Amino acid sequence: MQEPAITEEVIEQHGLSPEEYERVLTILGRQPTFTELGIFSVMWSEHCSYKSSRLHLKKFPTEGAHVIEGPGENAGVIDIGDGLAAVFKMESHNHPSFIEPYQGAATGVGGIMRDVFTMGARPVVNMNSLRFGKLSEPHNQYLLDGVVDGIAGYGNCMGVPTIGGEIYFSDCYNGNCLVNAFTLGIAKADGIFRGYASGPGNVVIYVGSKTGRDGIHGVTMASEEFVDDSEQKKPTVQVGDPFMEKLLLEACLEVMKKNLLVGIQDMGGAGLTSSSCEMAGRAGTGVELDLALVPRREEGMIPYEIMLSESQERMLMVAEKEKEEEIHAIFKKWDLEAVTIGRVTDDGMLRILDGGKQVAEIPALKIAQQAPKYDRPHAESETQRARRSLDPSGIAVPDDLEEVLKILLDTHNIADKEWIFEQYDHMVRTNTVVLPGSDAAVIRVKGTKKGLAVSTDCNSRYCYLDPYVGGMNAVAEAARNVVCAGARPMALTDCLNFGNPEKPEIMWQFVQAVEGMSAACRALGTPVVSGNVSFYNETRGEAIWPTPTVGMVGLLHDVRRFMTQWFKKEKDALFLVGETLDELGGSEYLEVIHGQVRGQPPVLDLEKERKVQETVRAAIEQGLLHSAHDCSEGGLAVALAECCLTGPGPHLGAQVTLDDDLRPDALLFGESQSRVVVSIEDKDLDAFKEIANRVGAPITFLGLVGGKDLKIELQGRSLQWPVEVLRKIHRHAIRHHMTHDTLD
């Protein structure tokens, strides 16, 4: 088949600006072939090149005493002791999931697992962060159902537990749902593999599934706004096969265990193009591939299609020539394709042949590491500035505060997410210690006494109102949740979801969020070791709220000291670690009860945050606490209710007195940061108070655990809710929309 001519229309269809195309001409010294144009197009897409974000991502702290591998590889790696490392990353699969929710989510899970096991780690944890429009819209129900089914279908078949995550609902996601997938694996600290095509003369081996036409220009589609043609883009969505990936996982780990590889990389976004370019670029070498040797499942594929296909479950390996046959034999044992398709060269060129005929020749380093880098204009809009104004005097305190709590527990952002996580296998491999439903998930690290706590978090509403404060809060809350499980926060991965970066107000949101996150990371000692940027989450010009999601990983030196959020024992004393301020801006209460999304989100004092976290963690490590729960959406009243409602039971109530001289709705439902509700036995009170005094964290006695009701004495008012009534509301809110069950 003859390749199309290169015209202005063809260049525009490939997403290259006139200036970028001129840069292509300069690099090549001639007009590109159609295959070369496709290669530049995907490698210089926003999704692959980070051309709008690279300048600002450098602001993140990325180093630390326990960091083995930071950003730039397939996943981040931290040392967890005992000769072991945790390997983890989070990535977006937003656009594909909106177009085809099952396959979009499933292949997102498959892709992030490959990023982890290509480093030499066995995946042991899957998590996610999801965003959808309100479930009152049938299409959003369809998207949620398909995404959850896709996550479950892939993860469950792979035998990797999905042990937690987060989900948020807002009308801003009606045109763009967000699906961010997280995977963590365990590897030997001295057995990490990297994506390098080193050693001229070494062979390049293609392994895994055959190549088809699915996913061609998937990364280009993910680097542009949606209009009205999402159905027509279904062919750009990859199709996954988890059973094939399971075989690929075991075969890859076997060749790694036998130390047969020089380098390895997943064929993810941009497929064979990105893996070959990036491996050669990192090593400063060249790669020559003959596409006639690439296994295919479709007839008549041209070089352009083979290079750009994003067919799933494929890896590219580099090995010494004398180890080639042994690698082939291992993959044959696992009933997988393993074909030598090229070699490493010393001339720095990515050279593509088709049956001996050259169809592309590009300097590998220039395409992989010298993509355009933009310092895009960024400025706060007047609209952005205006929505932070809020006059509390115009907000009436509701007469029926008991009803307000019921309404909040019935909102989808606060309601029990059991309908979602019950579809995931969270016990496979028997590592899971804390199941979904607490502040953070916890797994044991087999062969040691240690555990890992993981949390994914972001309050998108805060980021919409003030992206700097919202970015700080995303890091702080994720760390706080890990601390509430008993762990010391170690490092994080992120998934930065934003609208069109070519709009100054969107780019301003991004810059502010990155700077806020960076400040919190430095204050809390949690470097960023991996991540992903997802721009162009817009439909017909309507952008999502800024959503810089954080995946935090923490270490428990003794996994037996893990903690959960629910009350355990009658007559335990209740304390609030931290302070409640007179704040309503950005709260769930303000939006749900008063219909306003405005105001300054809760302030965050990073030094106070550090002290609160240190107090809670030290108290858990010393075995003093029976429960610990972060105050977040819905404020103190919702946090207390969740301590009563969640967990395996018995579901205990509490008697609480709140004496603070604040607005009653701010006291109950305001979302002041750096607060944790803890329960503790009388005999341990002195030791707990000593820790708080030494660290400098404020603590306030709230009341006692016990009974069948949650009772709050508030400024002369007595509020009371039967725990079972609240529990029924909380459990049915999402299930009702997704299964159409009614409360009984």
Side-chain angles (χ1 to χ4, degrees):
M1 181 186 296
Q2 187 172 356
E3 292 187 340
I6 307 300
T7 64
E8 289 185 6
E9 182 181 9
V10 169
I11 295 167
E12 184 178 359
Q13 289 171 351
H14 281 73
L16 292 172
S17 69
E19 294 77 17
E20 289 170 346
Y21 184 67
E22 284 299 319
R23 189 168 186 158
V24 170
L25 296 178
T26 299
I27 290 172
L28 295 178
R30 56 175 170 78
Q31 189 179 64
T33 66
F34 187 60
T35 299
E36 290 170 337
L37 183 70
I39 289 171
F40 276 103
S41 169
V42 293
M43 290 302 295
W44 287 5
S45 68
E46 191 72 59
H47 188 84
C48 287
S49 72
Y50 292 80
K51 57 190 175 185
S52 299
S53 60
R54 292 205 319 271
L55 182 71
H56 302 286
L57 296 177
K58 292 179 180 179
K59 299 171 184 176
F60 283 141
T62 59
E63 297 179 347
H66 49 275
V67 175
I68 295 174
E69 189 70 54
E73 263 293 342
N74 291 289
V77 186
I78 61 171
D79 192 328
I80 59 173
D82 295 301
L84 298 175
V87 180
F88 56 95
K89 190 181 182 183
M90 182 162 52
E91 278 203 343
S92 62
H93 232 223
N94 303 334
H95 286 63
S97 298
F98 186 78
I99 296 169
E100 212 299 299
Y102 181 92
Q103 289 296 348
T107 52
V109 172
I112 196 64
M113 281 196 282
R114 288 195 302 278
D115 279 341
V116 167
F117 75 74
T118 194
M119 301 288 290
R122 179 175 290 279
V124 294
V125 168
N126 282 339
M127 294 184 67
N128 51 71
S129 173
L130 310 175
R131 296 290 187 278
F132 297 93
K134 300 285 181 63
L135 290 181
S136 53
E137 294 291 328
H139 187 65
N140 293 328
Q141 297 175 25
Y142 157 76
L143 290 174
L144 175 60
D145 190 50
V147 164
V148 171
D149 202 16
I151 291 170
Y154 211 102
N156 293 357
C157 291
M158 281 289 293
V160 179
T162 301
I163 63 172
E166 58 137 16
I167 186 167
Y168 200 97
F169 299 91
S170 171
D171 288 337
C172 75
Y173 302 106
N174 280 333
N176 289 83
C177 65
L178 302 184
V179 176
N180 296 174
F182 171 101
T183 293
L184 180 145
I186 301 294
K188 290 184 177 180
D190 60 358
I192 303 301
F193 287 80
R194 294 170 173 85
Y196 281 78
S198 303
N202 286 338
V203 293
V204 178
I205 305 174
Y206 171 116
V207 301
S209 294
K210 289 181 168 65
T211 296
R213 289 188 170 94
D214 52 317
I216 293 176
H217 272 297
V219 296
T220 308
M221 176 268 291
S223 304
E224 60 188 18
E225 293 183 34
F226 278 149
V227 281
D228 295 304
D229 61 345
S230 63
E231 283 296 311
Q232 298 174 24
K233 291 182 176 179
K234 279 192 175 180
T236 65
V237 178
Q238 309 95 325
V239 178
D241 180 351
F243 300 105
M244 177 68 77
E245 178 137 333
K246 174 63 174 171
L247 297 175
L248 184 63
L249 163 66
E250 300 300 340
C252 286
L253 292 182
E254 183 173 341
V255 297
M256 291 169 172
K257 185 177 181 180
K258 293 183 176 180
N259 201 27
L260 300 177
L261 299 179
V262 171
I264 178 172
Q265 181 144 327
D266 163 41
M267 288 191 226
L272 185 54
T273 290
S274 62
S275 54
S276 56
C277 287
E278 290 172 1
M279 291 179 78
R282 289 190 194 108
T285 60
V287 169
E288 181 178 284
L289 307 177
D290 191 340
L291 302 187
L293 303 173
V294 172
R296 283 169 260 186
R297 65 169 183 261
E298 296 186 43
E299 296 291 331
M301 292 186 71
I302 61 174
Y304 175 97
E305 294 172 318
I306 297 169
M307 289 299 294
L308 270 58
S309 168
E310 294 182 12
S311 293
Q312 297 292 284
E313 294 87 40
R314 301 180 302 160
M315 291 278 191
L316 199 65
M317 296 178 167
V318 172
E320 295 171 354
K321 178 68 176 175
E322 56 268 26
K323 297 178 181 177
E324 178 183 4
E325 288 188 14
E326 189 174 355
I327 292 171
H328 285 199
I330 289 171
F331 277 86
K332 184 177 181 181
K333 182 186 76 173
W334 288 100
D335 200 25
L336 292 171
E337 296 270 7
V339 180
T340 299
I341 64 169
R343 62 188 179 91
V344 178
T345 65
D346 60 3
D347 61 5
M349 304 300 289
L350 172 67
R351 188 172 296 105
I352 308 300
L353 310 177
D354 184 23
K357 177 186 176 183
Q358 183 171 300
V359 295
E361 186 178 61
I362 306 172
L365 184 65
K366 290 187 177 181
I367 191 169
Q369 298 184 13
Q370 296 184 24
K373 181 169 65 175
Y374 297 125
D375 184 3
R376 295 197 183 276
H378 48 92
E380 183 180 18
S381 68
E382 286 299 325
T383 303
Q384 170 79 52
R385 193 175 296 111
R387 56 180 173 246
R388 283 201 298 278
S389 66
L390 177 67
D391 181 7
S393 65
I395 301 168
V397 178
D399 293 328
D400 192 344
L401 293 172
E402 291 172 331
E403 185 63 20
V404 171
L405 179 58
K406 292 179 182 179
I407 292 170
L408 289 176
L409 290 175
D410 194 44
T411 63
H412 297 135
N413 289 337
I414 293 176
D416 194 323
K417 309 307 188 295
E418 184 183 45
W419 179 85
I420 296 170
F421 64 69
E422 70 183 4
Q423 299 182 53
Y424 305 146
D425 186 338
H426 36 264
M427 289 302 295
V428 63
R429 302 194 66 80
T430 67
N431 294 320
T432 309
V433 176
V434 176
L435 304 178
S438 195
D439 284 302
V442 179
I443 64 161
R444 65 177 56 85
V445 180
K446 284 183 177 173
T448 76
K449 294 181 179 180
K450 295 176 178 175
L452 293 171
V454 188
S455 178
T456 55
D457 284 285
C458 177
N459 187 308
S460 310
R461 191 190 293 113
Y462 295 171
C463 298
Y464 172 68
L465 296 172
D466 188 329
Y468 184 90
V469 174
M472 281 202 303
N473 277 324
V475 173
E477 184 178 354
R480 200 182 312 134
N481 284 338
V482 162
V483 165
C484 285
R488 179 186 293 277
M490 296 282 283
L492 65 89
T493 182
D494 59 45
C495 201
L496 309 178
N497 308 272
F498 290 80
N500 185 344
E502 298 168 48
K503 298 178 179 179
E505 63 272 22
I506 299 295
M507 198 64 209
W508 178 83
Q509 292 174 345
F510 179 82
V511 172
Q512 290 290 302
V514 167
E515 291 179 352
M517 293 172 69
S518 298
C521 288
R522 288 189 171 88
L524 300 177
T526 53
V528 179
V529 297
S530 61
N532 171 231
V533 177
S534 175
F535 278 133
Y536 296 97
N537 291 288
E538 294 199 20
T539 297
R540 295 181 293 276
E542 293 294 320
I544 62 162
W545 286 351
T547 309
T549 308
V550 170
M552 184 70 69
V553 176
L555 179 66
L556 292 88
H557 288 286
D558 185 347
V559 73
R560 295 172 298 179
R561 294 291 194 189
F562 74 88
M563 187 53 57
T564 53
Q565 69 184 34
W566 44 87
F567 296 145
K568 313 294 191 309
K569 188 178 179 183
E570 296 265 2
K571 298 184 180 179
D572 272 356
L574 282 175
F575 279 84
L576 179 69
V577 186
E579 296 177 294
T580 301
L581 306 178
D582 208 346
E583 304 177 287
L584 290 176
S587 63
E588 189 80 10
Y589 161 78
L590 189 63
E591 179 176 3
V592 171
I593 303 301
H594 297 281
Q596 297 188 49
V597 180
R598 61 185 313 109
Q600 181 66 41
V603 298
L604 180 63
D605 183 318
L606 289 169
E607 180 59 19
K608 289 181 179 178
E609 177 72 39
R610 187 192 62 77
K611 291 177 179 179
V612 167
Q613 291 189 21
E614 180 62 23
T615 297
V616 173
R617 188 185 59 79
I620 294 172
E621 280 190 347
Q622 293 184 29
L624 304 180
L625 303 185
H626 285 172
S627 69
H629 184 29
D630 163 47
C631 292
S632 55
E633 286 85 1
L636 180 58
V638 165
L640 288 166
E642 289 172 338
C643 293
C644 298
L645 307 174
T646 54
H651 298 101
L652 302 173
Q655 295 81 50
V656 173
T657 300
L658 302 178
D659 295 324
D660 300 61
D661 187 21
L662 303 176
R663 287 179 55 123
D665 51 354
L667 193 53
L668 289 169
F669 310 117
E671 297 177 5
S672 296
Q673 295 297 290
S674 311
R675 295 184 299 166
V676 177
V677 174
V678 302
S679 63
I680 186 169
E681 205 168 351
D682 278 348
K683 68 180 180 64
D684 294 318
L685 285 179
D686 288 344
F688 172 63
K689 291 176 181 178
E690 190 279 326
I691 292 172
N693 288 335
R694 173 173 51 81
V695 175
I699 60 172
T700 305
F701 176 68
L702 297 177
L704 299 174
V705 174
K708 296 183 178 180
D709 297 335
L710 172 61
K711 300 176 182 179
I712 299 179
E713 295 293 325
L714 174 74
Q715 300 170 346
R717 303 170 68 169
S718 296
L719 309 176
Q720 184 169 345
W721 302 266
V723 168
E724 281 307 309
V725 171
L726 296 183
R727 188 164 177 264
K728 187 176 291 186
I729 293 170
H730 190 239
R731 291 188 68 208
H732 280 75
I734 290 178
R735 188 181 300 277
H736 165 66
H737 275 288
M738 299 307 297
T739 65
H740 307 292
D741 286 347
T742 57
L743 288 171
D744 47 28

